[in-house]
Amino acid sequence: MSTFLGMPYAPRGVGHLRGEQPFPVAARAALADTQLRRNLGRATTTIRAKRAAVVAELPDWEELRAAGEAIKRHTLAHLDRYLEQLEDQVTARGGTVHWARDANEANRIVTGLVRGTGATEVVKVKSIVTDEIGLNEALAGAGITAHETDLAELIVQLGHDRPSHILVPAIHLGRAEIREIFLREMGDVDPGLTDAPAALAEAARLHLRRRFLSARVGISGANFAVAETGTLCVVESEGNGRMCLTLPGTLITVMGIEKVIPSWRDLEVFLQLLPRSSTGERMNPYTSMWTGVTPGDGPQRFHLVLLDNGRTAALADPAGRQALHCIRCSACLNVCPVYERTGGHAYGSVYPGPIGAVLSPQLTGVADNASLPYASSLCGACYDACPVRIDIPSLLVHLRARHVEEAARARRVPSAEAVAMAAASWVMASPARYAAAQRAGRAGRALGRGGRIRRLPPPLSAWTAARDAPAPPAQTFREWWRRERGDTDGTAG
Amino acid sequence: MAPRAEDPARAEVLARIRAALGAGTRDAGEIPRAYRTGAGLGTEELIGLLTERLNDYGTAVRRCPDGGVAGAVRAALAERGARRVVVPAGLALDVAAPDGVTFLADDNLSPDALDAADGVITTAALAIAETGTIILDAGPGQGRRAVSLVPDYHLCVLHAGQIVAIVPEALGRLDPRRPCTWISGPSATSDIELDRVQGVHGPRTLEVILVGA
Amino acid sequence: MRIALFVTCLVDGLFPQVGQATVRLLERLGHEVTFPGAQTCCGQMHTNTGYLRGALPLVRRYADVFEDCELVVVPSGSCTGSVRHQHAMVARRFGDEALARRAEAVAARTYELSELLVDVLGVEDVGAYYPHRVTYHPTCHSLRLLRAGDRPLRLLRKVAGIDLVELPDAEVCCGFGGTFAIKNGAVSTAMLADKMRSVLATGAEMCTAGDSSCLMHIGGGLSRLNAGTATVHLAEILAATQDSP
């Protein structure tokens, strides 16, 4: 199915929303990567503690979450109006707004804008949405080099790698690997470079400074866009954002349509929720806000590209659309026991972890990311951590249901799993059949030794690969009750 | 690019949104704003909290009485060893450049010229005590954004009366049309193994002079 | 009081001793326990695997069987969670608003065991005796869906003879997750490894919880390793006395 209720999905063949392997396969390989396990385990444990500490400081954290959730819900309910208002405001202040139906269109627009300046290089602030649409590859195809300036994105770019976390994309790499990448790929680096993080950051600073000071075109994403005033907001730590947003003559900002917020005042909620949830700080080092063009200050040409790329498909699902509330803090990644052990690459999309498992399938269509909604034990830690209260566990169950329903419609012959589930439902819908099935299941007792079963046939072999299974008891509870207490009330087996 | 009214992409995206939301009521309920909008802290408490938070970020804070700004600036620059210092228009710094120090007016200095400077002095629009944040909004004495970004040393002169307690108190006092930069400590990254390293691309040293404190 | 027991399919078929313990405990506290024999399953396996249509008849059966009962007790946090947070949703997905309202009504009278004891019966000391070193694992449904908080711990602390040790990283999921343990067996095992490490670090003889599903997973892992630590359901501890351990 290529649309959801008529709303097209993000197209295939462009961008990075789909993995090459289903999650269980990719996860198994990742679990064996000892450096990833150590780095990620340490990183997530550290951020969890920092986040918990700064959240505990605020007496009104739950009130802020409630406001954040409500503002996002309200915004989506009037998304068309707010986007039009945003466009009016940005345009009135000298900016130009472009609309992109999908990744290909966005890439064409941005490439055209860069070409129009005559520049063959651009500097980029970290922007997951530009990773989503594969912008760098599209620009390269047009002979334009996109220089990542966020340290982790720089590391990933120089290493010809892919980001594995929304906030700290190079977390899967250790300092020694990063040093090697710099020595190999940074032309101007000191050969005596050590692997101390401070030395590596200094190397990046020197490498990038030249680029910043001479850049003609900057490309960014946006954390928030205020409809009321046309103001865009970028939240960052290193200063590369400020560099790219301030020094070049032309600025192009690509933004998912769900990032708009109604009013200036709403920033007071999100600028408290985001830093504490993402880096576990009271406030991130730098936040930049600008509206259109300011004569004599910063870029004199500003372009805002509003991107759909499957977001309207998500919007069309009343149960699923809350995934669009996400403010990209990555708190859910940091508390997820699955993500902590597998890392981001296993999810195959630039949006990994719990939010990725509910957002990626909605942008691409569930069929193209069918394994993601199942990449969770439904423990609910993500829901507790989410600053805007996205009910990710319920969303996961909802997407599993969509997957089953869509698969049933698409197939002529039901899958083995569907047959088994239908049979189980039929059996359990009747106490008589259910009790009969229990009696039949008692045959499994013979498989047990000392009450334990060591090996079961597939698919339950996945269980006994690592665990013993209990052998069925001599009598079930209802048999015991009937024996001890006489007949049960109601129809009994 | 087609004029707005005729842009097919624009028309289609808006049409999709309307179709996605459906014909029913668009009511999403009230927005509860039960979070703090003020913190009721006195000036001394605000000064104390801001200073503590700035120190947490490794930002030195010098306190001086009204009328003591010139002396504090001279002392800061001398300690830093800064010789060429950018001074934005409207700074109203009633102090001649100390011996050996040149004040550079920002006559649209190029990025390279800014990079060659040792530092910049600015005022600020306001500060938030709880988060240790200083906000610049390109007002008089603050300069365009590039001047407080490129030089490696940023000396910010802040008055005690400009401090608010919490984030919601700041937004109401700012003009959203002005380009705005919120600064909470010097730049930092934790991208390498989550080891926090300070001083990447923005000014690596931020110092604050708190006046009337 | 007259309390109906929803024993759950897992306990009924594989861990009947948990159901027996629940009955023994409530009767010892002076209450009458009934077992409506027409009950089967809460349907969470179907719901959580995406087969909501398969869960619908089970939602209906639960309402049919229990809606005339004053109180229902469930020795499972996950089944209680499914009844409370999923049954009405399943009914609504298929447009059955009447069933949804019935589901909500019966859910309001459905309690997980520790909720029933502490909130409804108002008791924390149930007169139990269990002279073993025990560590408690708060299951995800109990912790985050039911918000059962420290009710189970308050009950355990009053057990005579018990040596209760705190479980490190208690709130981290054990990795069961229903069909997750099969579909993502590798990750499930990795999570189980860490949970077992925490359990064994306490030196406990037994690990307890309010959910047989998690206990089956943790217990199955410990058994495979011949670790010398086993699992026991909260109901079994609370039902144990000096005369009937």
Side-chain angles (χ1 to χ4, degrees):
Chain A
M1 204 194 303
S2 61
T3 69
F4 185 75
L5 301 182
M7 253 53 71
Y9 294 128
R12 291 178 183 160
V14 61
H16 303 289
L17 284 173
R18 297 162 170 87
E20 317 225 311
Q21 299 172 307
F23 181 83
V25 175
R28 179 180 288 276
L31 288 168
D33 181 341
T34 55
Q35 175 159 285
L36 173 74
R37 295 285 298 265
R38 289 290 84 68
N39 281 3
L40 210 44
R42 194 176 136 250
T44 53
T45 305
T46 305
I47 308 185
R48 274 199 301 272
K50 290 181 71 175
R51 177 201 165 270
V54 293
V55 163
E57 275 185 7
L58 292 187
D60 55 348
W61 182 251
E62 289 304 320
E63 288 81 357
L64 285 166
R65 288 178 85 207
E69 174 187 19
I71 293 168
K72 284 288 180 176
R73 178 170 299 122
H74 169 85
T75 306
L76 289 184
H78 302 277
L79 187 61
D80 51 342
R81 169 156 67 88
Y82 286 121
L83 288 173
E84 287 174 309
Q85 187 184 19
L86 174 67
E87 178 185 48
D88 285 342
Q89 293 295 318
V90 170
T91 308
R93 289 296 305 266
T96 309
V97 177
H98 310 257
W99 299 70
R101 285 165 280 203
D102 62 26
N104 288 314
E105 186 157 45
N107 288 335
R108 272 198 303 276
I109 291 169
V110 176
T111 305
L113 289 171
V114 177
R115 270 222 190 90
T117 68
T120 52
E121 299 187 292
V122 303
V123 286
K124 282 187 71 200
V125 191
K126 180 175 83 180
S127 158
I128 312 166
V129 75
T130 61
D131 290 339
E132 175 191 329
I133 63 177
L135 178 63
N136 292 6
E137 290 94 318
L139 289 171
I144 298 164
T145 309
H147 296 290
E148 294 289 352
T149 63
D150 179 87
L151 179 57
E153 292 282 1
L154 172 67
I155 292 168
V156 164
Q157 182 175 53
L158 290 176
H160 308 289
D161 201 339
R162 294 265 285 273
S164 70
H165 187 287
I166 289 174
L167 190 69
V168 280
I171 197 58
H172 57 291
L173 298 169
R175 62 183 67 185
E177 286 171 291
I178 295 170
R179 173 180 167 272
E180 260 171 66
I181 291 170
F182 282 10
L183 285 172
R184 202 172 58 231
E185 306 278 346
M186 263 183 197
D188 43 359
V189 77
D190 170 11
L193 180 68
T194 70
D195 71 0
L200 295 170
E202 175 67 12
R205 175 189 166 94
L206 292 171
H207 176 79
L208 289 171
R209 199 140 183 99
R210 225 8 24 243
R211 291 215 201 286
F212 289 139
L213 300 184
S214 57
R216 293 168 51 196
V217 180
I219 296 180
S220 81
N223 294 91
F224 308 104
V226 180
E228 179 189 21
T229 60
T231 307
L232 276 97
C233 180
V234 167
V235 169
E236 56 142 346
S237 296
E238 295 167 34
N240 60 308
R242 290 175 70 189
M243 290 287 186
C244 296
L245 298 171
T246 312
L247 298 182
T250 301
L251 173 62
I252 303 167
T253 296
V254 181
M255 188 188 97
I257 53 177
E258 82 280 26
K259 296 299 198 67
V260 65
I261 59 176
S263 63
W264 174 249
R265 186 185 179 197
D266 295 326
L267 283 174
E268 72 196 14
V269 173
F270 296 109
L271 290 179
Q272 294 191 75
L273 290 173
L274 180 55
R276 293 190 193 242
S277 300
S278 65
T279 51
E281 301 175 293
R282 296 185 185 105
M283 187 60 73
N284 52 292
Y286 299 133
T287 299
S288 300
M289 301 174 197
W290 76 96
T291 306
V293 170
T294 302
D297 185 341
Q300 295 304 295
R301 283 163 301 283
F302 172 59
H303 297 273
L304 176 63
V305 181
L306 299 174
L307 177 73
D308 182 351
N309 206 38
R311 285 153 176 76
T312 46
L315 191 64
D317 181 346
R321 72 171 67 123
Q322 63 172 305
L324 295 175
H325 294 188
C326 177
I327 63 174
R328 307 290 191 270
C329 71
S330 78
C332 60
L333 271 66
N334 297 328
V335 298
C336 178
V338 174
Y339 176 87
E340 180 171 346
R341 289 165 178 80
T342 64
H345 291 165
Y347 293 76
S349 161
V350 294
Y351 302 114
I355 189 60
V358 298
L359 185 59
S360 309
Q362 292 196 76
L363 296 178
T364 63
V366 181
D368 277 11
N369 268 307
S371 64
L372 289 188
Y374 298 91
S376 164
S377 64
L378 301 178
C379 83
C382 50
Y383 187 11
D384 279 358
C386 179
V388 290
R389 296 164 46 102
I390 300 173
D391 185 351
I392 297 177
S394 294
L395 269 175
L396 288 164
V397 170
H398 169 71
L399 290 174
R400 294 175 186 189
R402 262 183 62 180
H403 172 239
V404 164
E405 285 155 13
E406 286 171 16
R409 277 197 292 273
R411 305 170 88 113
R412 280 190 306 275
V413 178
S415 67
E417 180 186 272
V419 169
M421 285 296 191
S425 172
W426 178 78
V427 165
M428 294 205 272
S430 146
R433 290 195 291 265
Y434 175 66
Q438 282 180 327
R439 285 193 297 273
R442 195 153 27 244
R445 226 170 128 64
L447 294 174
R449 298 274 178 279
R452 300 183 282 187
I453 295 177
R454 301 262 169 191
R455 194 174 296 160
L456 287 168
L460 296 176
S461 48
W463 181 275
T464 48
R467 292 149 285 222
D468 289 345
Q475 60 179 356
T476 63
F477 176 85
R478 65 183 61 215
E479 284 168 344
W480 170 83
W481 179 275
R482 206 208 203 138
R483 209 157 282 166
E484 299 286 310
R485 306 299 174 100
D487 232 331
T488 58
D489 28 309
T491 23
Chain B
M1 189 209 55
R4 253 197 280 166
E6 296 157 28
D7 179 3
R10 177 181 189 276
E12 189 173 332
V13 173
L14 288 171
R16 287 178 191 170
I17 291 171
R18 288 170 187 135
L21 293 172
T25 170
R26 300 265 205 112
D27 178 36
E30 286 293 306
I31 294 173
R33 293 191 194 261
Y35 51 87
R36 295 171 304 160
T37 48
L41 295 181
T43 313
E44 272 313 305
E45 291 170 283
L46 289 172
I47 291 168
L49 184 57
L50 178 66
T51 305
E52 182 196 309
R53 295 285 144 94
L54 288 172
N55 288 150
D56 263 353
Y57 296 141
T59 298
V61 180
R62 264 167 227 276
R63 292 157 73 141
C64 73
D66 290 312
V69 182
V73 168
R74 260 202 299 279
L77 294 180
E79 231 176 84
R80 172 73 182 178
R83 309 182 81 58
R84 297 161 52 74
V85 179
V86 179
V87 173
L91 185 61
L93 198 61
D94 196 15
V95 52
D99 287 338
V101 178
T102 312
F103 281 171
L104 303 166
D106 179 26
D107 287 331
N108 208 27
L109 295 170
S110 71
D112 282 323
L114 288 171
D115 196 36
D118 295 323
V120 61
I121 308 175
T122 73
T123 50
L126 54 96
I128 306 173
E130 185 174 79
T131 55
T133 302
I134 293 169
I135 302 179
L136 270 59
D137 72 353
Q142 299 174 49
R144 61 194 168 102
R145 290 172 285 168
V147 305
S148 52
L149 168 63
V150 179
D152 213 9
Y153 170 72
H154 178 191
L155 179 63
C156 186
V157 180
L158 189 66
H159 288 259
Q162 290 181 296
I163 310 173
V164 300
I166 58 175
V167 171
E169 291 175 302
L171 281 151
R173 288 171 169 76
L174 293 167
D175 179 351
R177 317 292 170 153
R178 308 175 70 86
C180 212
T181 308
W182 290 36
I183 300 168
S184 309
S187 63
T189 179
S190 301
D191 278 337
I192 299 175
E193 293 183 356
L194 259 210
D195 211 292
R196 189 184 171 90
V197 171
Q198 284 202 314
V200 196
H201 303 297
R204 285 182 289 184
T205 305
L206 171 65
E207 275 185 27
V208 173
I209 292 175
L210 203 43
V211 185
Chain C
M1 302 187 78
R2 197 156 190 265
I3 307 170
L5 171 65
F6 176 53
V7 77
T8 79
C9 67
L10 193 65
V11 167
D12 190 1
L14 286 179
F15 304 103
Q17 69 273 23
V18 174
Q20 291 157 6
T22 305
V23 173
R24 208 160 63 236
L25 168 64
L26 292 174
E27 287 177 344
R28 184 174 81 225
L29 293 175
H31 303 284
E32 183 195 344
V33 181
T34 67
F35 177 68
Q39 62 182 271
T40 57
C41 167
C42 71
Q44 68 169 303
M45 178 184 72
H46 284 81
T47 306
N48 289 339
T49 313
Y51 292 87
L52 269 54
R53 196 170 284 284
L56 187 60
L58 306 179
V59 169
R60 192 180 310 280
R61 173 149 294 277
Y62 186 84
D64 287 344
V65 170
F66 288 103
E67 66 189 344
D68 291 328
C69 301
E70 198 187 315
L71 266 186
V72 185
V73 69
V74 188
S76 161
S78 60
C79 302
T80 310
S82 190
V83 168
R84 198 175 286 169
H85 294 280
Q86 294 183 320
H87 277 199
M89 177 274 287
V90 170
R92 286 198 172 96
R93 197 179 183 90
F94 298 103
D96 194 340
E97 185 57 34
L99 176 59
R101 273 200 279 277
R102 289 173 63 206
E104 280 161 353
V106 67
R109 293 193 296 278
T110 301
Y111 296 90
E112 178 270 333
L113 179 62
S114 71
E115 287 181 322
L116 181 87
L117 290 167
V118 176
D119 295 343
V120 181
L121 303 182
V123 65
E124 284 182 17
D125 185 342
V126 299
Y129 176 70
Y130 195 77
H132 301 275
R133 174 172 270 207
V134 174
T135 189
Y136 169 69
H137 164 63
T139 63
C140 295
H141 285 96
S142 168
L143 193 59
R144 299 191 184 92
L145 207 53
L146 303 182
R147 305 271 171 211
D150 67 345
R151 288 173 186 74
L153 280 171
R154 280 149 64 186
L155 291 160
L156 286 168
R157 285 189 194 114
K158 295 289 197 328
V159 173
I162 200 170
D163 176 11
L164 199 55
V165 214
E166 193 181 324
L167 180 67
D169 294 323
E171 302 192 348
V172 180
C173 178
C174 70
F176 175 67
T179 47
F180 175 79
I182 305 295
K183 287 173 182 274
N184 275 287
V187 184
S188 172
T189 306
M191 292 165 72
L192 174 61
D194 287 326
K195 182 59 69 175
M196 289 198 290
R197 179 165 48 83
S198 297
V199 169
L200 293 173
T202 65
E205 186 191 331
M206 304 299 267
C207 171
T208 190
D211 240 302
S212 298
S213 47
C214 304
L215 291 174
M216 180 171 68
H217 171 73
I218 298 170
L222 291 171
S223 163
R224 174 62 56 89
L225 295 179
N226 295 310
T229 298
T231 55
V232 62
H233 191 283
L234 178 68
E236 296 175 86
I237 294 180
L238 298 179
T241 57
Q242 264 189 305
D243 300 326
S244 350

